[in-house]
Amino acid sequence: MNISELIESNKEKIIPELFEWAETFDWELDEEGERTVKPYLEVLTLAQRLDNGQCNNIDYQNILFHIEQINHNEIKIKL
């Protein structure tokens, strides 16, 4: 099973976790200490693309990266 099939077959548990993960980037600060929404929007749109079946290969790689980050202290998404 390749990465896209693995993610697609588990997307019901991945999508809510990605949306929740996006919220952790809300009010992120840039190098100058100013609020930036870029990380928040990147994860949010990634979750939306997965939810709408619009992911490409790069999206699947990014999703896998975020799953590894989400699972850092506690396994929340098991593939």
Side-chain angles (χ1 to χ4, degrees):
M1 186 176 290
N2 66 36
I3 187 173
S4 62
E5 293 171 334
L6 186 62
I7 289 172
E8 286 293 332
S9 67
N10 290 284
K11 75 184 211 175
E12 294 305 316
K13 58 184 170 183
I14 295 170
I15 291 169
E17 292 292 338
L18 279 177
F19 278 116
E20 186 176 324
W21 182 244
E23 294 299 319
T24 66
F25 294 99
D26 198 12
W27 286 96
E28 187 84 7
L29 302 178
D30 64 13
E31 295 83 32
E32 290 84 36
E34 298 293 323
R35 181 179 181 213
T36 179
V37 295
K38 185 179 178 192
Y40 169 76
L41 291 176
E42 286 177 0
V43 178
L44 180 68
T45 56
L46 191 61
Q48 290 170 335
R49 284 195 301 274
L50 179 59
D51 194 24
N52 295 322
Q54 299 173 329
C55 288
N56 60 35
N57 287 334
I58 294 172
D59 291 334
Y60 290 120
Q61 292 173 3
N62 287 332
I63 290 168
L64 189 58
F65 169 79
H66 286 291
I67 289 171
E68 291 171 359
Q69 297 300 305
I70 290 167
N71 287 341
H72 178 69
N73 289 328
E74 170 187 359
I75 303 298
K76 292 185 176 186
I77 303 170
K78 189 172 183 178
L79 300 179

